Amino acid sequence: MPTTRLEAFSDGVLAIVITIMVLELRVPTGDDLAALRHSTGSGLLTYLISFVFIGIYWNNHHHMFQVTEQVTGATLWANLHLLFWLSLLPFTTAWVDTTGFARTPVTSYGVNLLAAGLAYVVLQRVIIRFQGPDSALRRAVGRDTKAKASLLLYVLGIGVCGVLGHVAAPGAIVVAMICFVTAPLLWLVPDRRITRVVAERPAGG
Amino acid sequence: MPTTRLEAFSDGVLAIVITIMVLELRVPTGDDLAALRHSTGSGLLTYLISFVFIGIYWNNHHHMFQVTEQVTGATLWANLHLLFWLSLLPFTTAWVDTTGFARTPVTSYGVNLLAAGLAYVVLQRVIIRFQGPDSALRRAVGRDTKAKASLLLYVLGIGVCGVLGHVAAPGAIVVAMICFVTAPLLWLVPDRRITRVVAERPAGG
Amino acid sequence: MPTTRLEAFSDGVLAIVITIMVLELRVPTGDDLAALRHSTGSGLLTYLISFVFIGIYWNNHHHMFQVTEQVTGATLWANLHLLFWLSLLPFTTAWVDTTGFARTPVTSYGVNLLAAGLAYVVLQRVIIRFQGPDSALRRAVGRDTKAKASLLLYVLGIGVCGVLGHVAAPGAIVVAMICFVTAPLLWLVPDRRITRVVAERPAGG
Amino acid sequence: MPTTRLEAFSDGVLAIVITIMVLELRVPTGDDLAALRHSTGSGLLTYLISFVFIGIYWNNHHHMFQVTEQVTGATLWANLHLLFWLSLLPFTTAWVDTTGFARTPVTSYGVNLLAAGLAYVVLQRVIIRFQGPDSALRRAVGRDTKAKASLLLYVLGIGVCGVLGHVAAPGAIVVAMICFVTAPLLWLVPDRRITRVVAERPAGG
């Protein structure tokens, strides 16, 4: 099956996830900057983080399907699995916000990020296995150091926050948040390797 | 008419239905796992069920339109009819949740599932009739045992819950829920028959 | 310019309008059918009406763009104008509901329907003018009796409800609602004329 | 990479932004026109303004991508940046409304408009740079007086409202609002230059 509908459906879900949070921004009750900061400050930050995060996934998803031409039933489910975890992000981020970066919410946030990261890797594997020995995606992805590094950062953050958080919460939470924000940033520049493979193709065939 | 817009519109509606429920997840008031379980536990379960359910329909819808090339006004309406019942699912599921699996809400939930199932069969028939004697979809669908089995399971569940529920509510409700959850699971693997028909076509023509 | 993006954007807006109202359906507070009827009865009716109404417009819009190949800046704006009025329908319908079919809300509802109907006619004209003397859409639309009849019904309903409503409200409101519901139903079967023109084209050229 | 998914995703986000505000229109509590004016008056105005504003951006975005055939990772991010600012508009407009056009909200509204305007210019530059010396978009855009004029109007409005607002609020706010509403109106008619370049292309090659 061609990839058109999988891409269209994913675009739809991600477009909704990325914009839905505006509905949760509370309009400030006062009319000055203090009121804005007080009632919507963390909400605006949350919105920005979610927007960038979903943007990164959309961007990489877009790149991945540049070197994917056919999908199977398994690809559709692996993709829905990824969309499920991404659609939960607004919820976990909100919990982090309202509790002022408490230990359990921050850990759950990390688990959500880790689950989305794993789902992305699974989707990638499903496509590569279907493409067979000379998979264009495998060639583009290579040893996939970036994916491994970001999953490691998530695990590290979850561990620090979940275990050390009992003893020294504030420090552990700061370290965890640094892990969680660094990992996606690795992906801000989407895969140049894919761009290269795409660019080679018209020449090569 | 080509199927492009029907597919795009269905993707849009299903993408909204599948993500809209995140807005209804209540952010826990406390900051530990107990608070999460208490305030959002059943909401998360609901969200997962809806997500899987709509995902199954989207997946099968996608497969169905792989062997459908032309649509008529009747197809458009049969498709809108299916979307209508699917769009009500978040509502009936929420009713089941808030009442703690009471008899009438569970029965309504079954009626909703049955209506969506019937609408899917109707849509299939409309397409097959339009495709004429050598319909690719008819060939793919065959005797359609899966559809018949799942409709039967819905009717069984509704009957048990609606009739026996008067006498022995808890048992009847458990049986009904098992029927309702089993039926969609039959469809988790989308039609291999369609995949086969699609795969044959490039070779055959 | 090709029509792809205009169609995609319209599909997106209409998909949102058609599903957004599920969010406004109130989950019944009780667990029996009486509670369902009491708290959600008119909401479900409203949802059904909106769904059918938007479905009719989507269906006809879809047909119209089957015989439209190019769009201009003017077409884009005429289309946005139509989407604007359609997007207000959930709001006016809700007002009718919550006031139990009072005179002013019912009149506003009619004005909304009339505005959408006029916007559709304007969009059609803009396309026909751009297509020039042998416009395929003009040929399909013919004398456009259906459009004229439905606009007349809207005007009649608004007049009866707005003017006679002062003297004898209940009767006037019933007559108005009959006008408002009959008019869209004229369009339930989308333009067979367009289907004919589309069907002729492959043969003719 | 082709522009299809960037366009589809932008259409999705803009369709949601443009319709999401209907959810915020409050249904009047009374059943006459006074109640409508009182509870929803400014909401309806806001909705209309947002609708027109987003419509203008969608329209121009659509035109811009008529002369853009390839996108890079940079284009995707420049586009997400534009969508971010547009998605905040419902929020800033709501703040203006609820405070009855107070100084700080009006200034923030101007800052939001300015940011969206700048993001549009940045996106345009990114595309032009990628297209190289004989960029079709550069030819279409020319010296881009319209963009410069509207950015100037935003800066003027922000300055007047933010600085003079301290001394003479009402007058300054009126002037600022005039600036903010005039600037987008310059773009109501989308780029005829682009239409011209598009029209020339089939002839030229």
Side-chain angles (χ1 to χ4, degrees), chain C residues 151-169:
Chain C
L151 294 179
L152 210 71
L153 276 167
Y154 294 138
V155 171
L156 190 71
I158 295 169
V160 166
C161 191
V163 179
L164 296 186
H166 272 299
V167 199

Side-chain angles (χ1 to χ4, degrees), chain A residues 138-162:
Chain A
R138 189 206 300 268
R139 222 166 347 125
V141 161
R143 286 176 46 211
D144 213 5
T145 332
K146 220 151 79 168
K148 283 172 195 154
S150 56
L151 293 179
L152 210 71
L153 276 166
Y154 294 139
V155 172
L156 191 71
I158 295 168
V160 166
C161 191

Side-chain angles (χ1 to χ4, degrees), chain B residues 17-162:
Chain B
V17 171
I18 219 172
T19 33
I20 227 169
M21 289 189 68
V22 176
L23 285 177
E24 291 181 27
L25 288 180
R26 223 160 272 192
V27 175
T29 39
D31 62 1
D32 50 9
L33 285 177
L36 177 66
R37 199 172 338 108
H38 185 256
S39 59
T40 337
S42 72
L44 281 171
L45 184 71
T46 296
Y47 186 61
L48 179 64
I49 290 176
S50 280
F51 202 98
V52 171
F53 202 90
I54 301 287
I56 286 170
Y57 267 98
W58 177 73
N59 217 326
N60 283 287
H61 190 272
H62 185 346
H63 273 76
M64 182 158 70
F65 279 92
Q66 286 300 312
V67 287
T68 307
E69 254 136 52
Q70 292 287 317
V71 292
T72 58
T75 326
L76 300 185
W77 277 113
N79 189 56
L80 278 169
H81 179 225
L82 172 62
L83 295 178
F84 176 76
W85 291 111
L86 293 178
S87 73
L88 277 182
L89 264 176
F91 169 73
T92 46
T93 323
W95 198 23
V96 167
D97 264 5
T98 54
T99 58
F101 292 82
R103 198 171 62 87
T104 313
V106 170
T107 315
S108 325
Y109 183 64
V111 171
N112 193 349
L113 293 179
L114 177 64
L118 285 171
Y120 190 84
V121 170
V122 167
L123 174 57
Q124 203 169 261
R125 295 253 162 110
V126 167
I127 294 172
I128 287 177
R129 204 174 46 199
F130 176 67
Q131 288 186 336
D134 39 83
S135 155
L137 183 55
R138 190 207 299 267
R139 225 169 342 128
V141 162
R143 286 173 48 210
D144 213 4
T145 330
K146 219 150 82 169
K148 283 171 195 154
S150 56
L151 293 180
L152 210 71
L153 276 167
Y154 293 139
V155 172
L156 191 71
I158 296 170
V160 166
C161 190

Side-chain angles (χ1 to χ4, degrees), chain A residues 96-168:
Chain A
V96 167
D97 265 5
T98 54
T99 58
F101 291 81
R103 198 172 62 85
T104 314
V106 169
T107 314
S108 325
Y109 183 64
V111 171
N112 193 348
L113 293 178
L114 177 63
L118 285 171
Y120 190 85
V121 170
V122 167
L123 174 57
Q124 204 169 258
R125 294 253 163 110
V126 167
I127 294 173
I128 287 177
R129 204 174 45 197
F130 176 66
Q131 289 185 335
D134 39 83
S135 155
L137 183 56
R138 189 206 300 268
R139 222 166 347 125
V141 161
R143 286 176 46 211
D144 213 5
T145 332
K146 220 151 79 168
K148 283 172 195 154
S150 56
L151 293 179
L152 210 71
L153 276 166
Y154 294 139
V155 172
L156 191 71
I158 295 168
V160 166
C161 191
V163 180
L164 296 186
H166 272 298
V167 200

Side-chain angles (χ1 to χ4, degrees), chain C residues 5 76-77 80 87 95 104-105, chain D residues 7 11 30 47 59 61 188:
Chain C
R5 269 192 84 177
L76 299 185
W77 277 113
L80 278 169
S87 74
W95 198 22
T104 313
Chain D
E7 294 180 271
D11 284 349
Y47 186 62
N59 217 326
H61 190 271
L188 202 60

Side-chain angles (χ1 to χ4, degrees), chain C residues 1-2 4-6 8-9 12-13 16-17 20 23-24 71-73 76-77 79-81 83-84 87-88 90-91 94-95 98-99 102-105 108, chain D residues 7 10-11 14-16 18-20 22-23 25-28 30-33 36 40 44 47-48 51-52 55-56 58-59 61-63 65-66 188 190:
Chain C
M1 295 180 291
T4 5
R5 269 192 84 177
L6 180 147
F9 186 71
V13 170
I16 297 161
V17 171
I20 226 170
L23 284 178
E24 291 182 29
V71 293
T72 57
L76 299 185
W77 277 113
N79 190 55
L80 278 169
H81 179 225
L83 294 178
F84 176 75
S87 74
L88 277 183
F91 169 72
W95 198 22
T98 54
T99 58
R103 201 171 61 86
T104 313
S108 324
Chain D
E7 294 180 271
S10 310
D11 284 349
L14 295 180
I16 296 161
I18 219 172
T19 34
I20 226 169
V22 175
L23 284 177
L25 287 180
R26 222 159 275 192
V27 175
D31 63 1
D32 52 8
L33 286 177
L36 177 66
T40 335
L44 281 171
Y47 186 62
L48 178 64
F51 202 99
V52 171
I56 287 170
W58 177 73
N59 217 326
H61 190 271
H62 184 345
H63 273 76
F65 279 90
Q66 287 299 311
L188 202 60

